[in-house]
Amino acid sequence: MLGPALSLIHTGQTPTRSALTRALDVTRATAGAVTAELEALGLITVDSRPAGGGRGRPSHRLAIDPQGPVVVAGQIHADGLSVTLAGLGGLLDPPVHLPLPAATDPVRMLRAVAQAGAELARSTSRRCLAAALALPNPVTEPDGTALAALHFAWPSGTPVADLYDVEVGRADHGPNAVRPLPTAIANDANLAALAEYRHGAGRGARHLLFVTSGHRGVGGALVIDGHLHTGSAGLALEVGHLTVDPQGRPCVCGNRGCLNSETDPDALFAAAGLTPEPGRPLLDQARELCWAAATDERARAAVEHVIDRLGLGLAGVANILNPDRVVLSGLHLDLLEAAPDRLRAVVAERSLWGRSGRVPIVGAELAHGALAGAAELGWGPYLADPQAVPV
Ligand SMILES: [Zn+2]
């Protein structure tokens, strides 16, 4: 009962004890005992003062304890490293962004992100319970090896989960961190999808398809009834290598015209016949190009070219998976905002059910989806069993 209760409060579904009582379908006494225990664990606050000076029975308001424990959430992506501390409730501190280390071999990069996370853990008086990391490549389950880490030329099969665990273990997280600090690692698109499902644009969906172009390439994920569909070995929903133009641009996988190489920031610049400026994150520049589509003809044509290919890919995936919501993130969110009707029309045209069965296509709501998802990963064992939180 503690785990389901904490998950409901964590996802903002039960702001009061009476809402929790209904959601868990238990007696008020049981809900009272459960919330008292979560409060004693330092995870939530229970406020029984009457709201707004009203009269009658006080409604106990439930909230995440702002001084409660945190996890370290990290992300490695094509433009750098990001780390933050995350409490329950999807509450992230402003992330710290660092450039990629000069040497991008796996150990150096995992060490850099582990040490940056440890520095944050040392800077807080809150307990630190885990360190979790989002990676831009597929990560196998359950052994945690990186496959096809094409952007960094890491050897396929690099044991990233083990290497990260070693680097986190070596870093000094200060006196408030659990020892040894549990670690976890997963693919960034999967994690961002989970975060959107719990705290963002995916709330309430039953079959959530998530597609994103964050920095380079394209990732996808599927959340079914609250659980990530990761396939037999963690590698499901690699939508990036769906062919959307057999004569298209070469892809890092060796083929041509993959969604990956046709709808990412590089593809948008190529479609516009422009070269991005060196030294600035490519995603930021691609976003600016999307916004320019409102007034600039060349940008408009490039945006439409990329949207048509994205629509082809989304329709293909939607025909197979029959989602009840599609959430787009990264550059794909900007493309949707630049021409929402066009994207929805392309998807509808190619969908088996046509316009009558159109699936809602919406933009992601979280500013740092992959980091928020890494936080969910770190919190996972404690959401399943809050008594694992040391007091
Ligand atoms: Zn490809």
Side-chain angles (χ1 to χ4, degrees):
M1 195 63 71
L2 279 184
L6 184 59
S7 290
L8 285 163
I9 300 165
H10 169 63
T11 50
Q13 297 180 73
T14 52
T16 63
R17 204 170 73 184
S18 52
L20 184 69
T21 306
R22 284 193 299 277
L24 293 173
D25 194 20
V26 294
T27 63
R28 280 179 50 213
T30 301
V34 164
T35 53
E37 184 152 4
L38 293 175
E39 191 177 30
L41 287 164
L43 298 173
I44 68 165
T45 58
V46 182
D47 184 355
S48 58
R49 290 171 300 173
R55 288 163 57 187
R57 193 194 298 279
S59 82
H60 294 69
R61 288 181 299 285
L62 307 177
I64 298 303
D65 187 335
Q67 292 309 312
V70 292
V71 299
V72 174
Q75 182 187 8
I76 294 178
H77 53 76
D79 288 322
L81 313 173
S82 302
V83 284
T84 190
L85 298 177
L88 283 168
L91 299 172
L92 269 58
D93 284 357
V96 174
H97 302 292
L98 303 167
L100 290 176
T104 58
D105 65 275
V107 170
R108 302 262 178 109
M109 286 177 73
L110 293 165
R111 181 173 300 158
V113 77
Q115 289 181 348
E119 193 177 330
L120 293 183
R122 290 197 305 273
S123 71
T124 180
S125 58
R126 298 164 72 182
R127 284 174 301 159
C128 180
L129 301 183
L133 183 64
L135 283 182
N137 48 267
V139 178
T140 61
E141 292 177 349
D143 46 339
T145 65
L147 293 191
L150 302 164
H151 303 302
F152 303 126
W154 290 359
S156 203
T158 298
V160 281
D162 292 345
L163 293 174
Y164 182 59
D165 192 64
V166 167
E167 294 303 330
V168 167
R170 282 183 179 157
D172 174 14
H173 289 77
N176 298 315
V178 173
R179 279 167 165 276
L181 197 61
T183 62
I185 207 160
N187 169 259
D188 54 7
N190 277 340
L191 292 177
L194 190 63
E196 287 291 338
Y197 175 82
R198 291 186 180 168
H199 303 290
R203 274 176 295 202
R206 289 202 57 205
H207 293 251
L208 170 67
L209 172 64
F210 178 84
V211 179
T212 182
S213 179
H215 292 265
R216 281 199 181 75
V218 171
L222 180 68
V223 181
I224 303 175
D225 291 331
H227 298 283
L228 273 170
H229 174 77
T230 53
S232 60
L235 306 175
L237 274 296
E238 272 300 314
V239 299
H241 302 285
L242 197 70
T243 305
V244 292
D245 179 359
Q247 319 302 329
R249 286 157 45 78
C251 179
V252 283
C253 73
N255 294 314
R256 275 190 175 274
C258 294
L259 195 63
N260 202 60
S261 57
E262 293 292 324
T263 69
D264 80 341
D266 269 328
L268 183 64
F269 272 94
L274 296 172
T275 308
E277 297 166 33
R280 287 181 59 213
L282 191 57
L283 178 60
D284 294 350
Q285 297 188 56
R287 290 195 148 137
E288 289 161 16
L289 195 52
C290 276
W291 303 334
T295 53
D296 180 275
E297 192 50 45
R298 179 148 74 160
R300 180 90 205 157
V303 161
E304 290 182 350
H305 175 90
V306 174
I307 278 181
D308 289 353
R309 276 149 187 76
L310 176 60
L312 273 182
L314 291 180
V317 180
N319 284 340
I320 293 167
L321 299 175
N322 186 211
D324 61 355
R325 198 174 309 167
V326 177
V327 173
L328 300 181
S329 183
L331 178 63
H332 293 171
L333 165 60
D334 296 276
L335 291 167
L336 172 68
E337 289 176 348
D341 294 342
R342 188 180 184 102
L343 180 61
R344 292 186 176 116
V346 176
V347 175
E349 248 165 48
R350 296 275 173 163
S351 294
L352 184 54
W353 301 276
R355 290 170 182 278
S356 59
R358 69 168 50 178
V359 49
I361 302 174
V362 300
E365 291 177 2
L366 304 179
H368 306 287
L371 278 177
E376 296 302 313
L377 184 65
W379 276 112
Y382 302 105
L383 288 167
D385 177 16
Q387 285 175 318
V389 174
V391 282

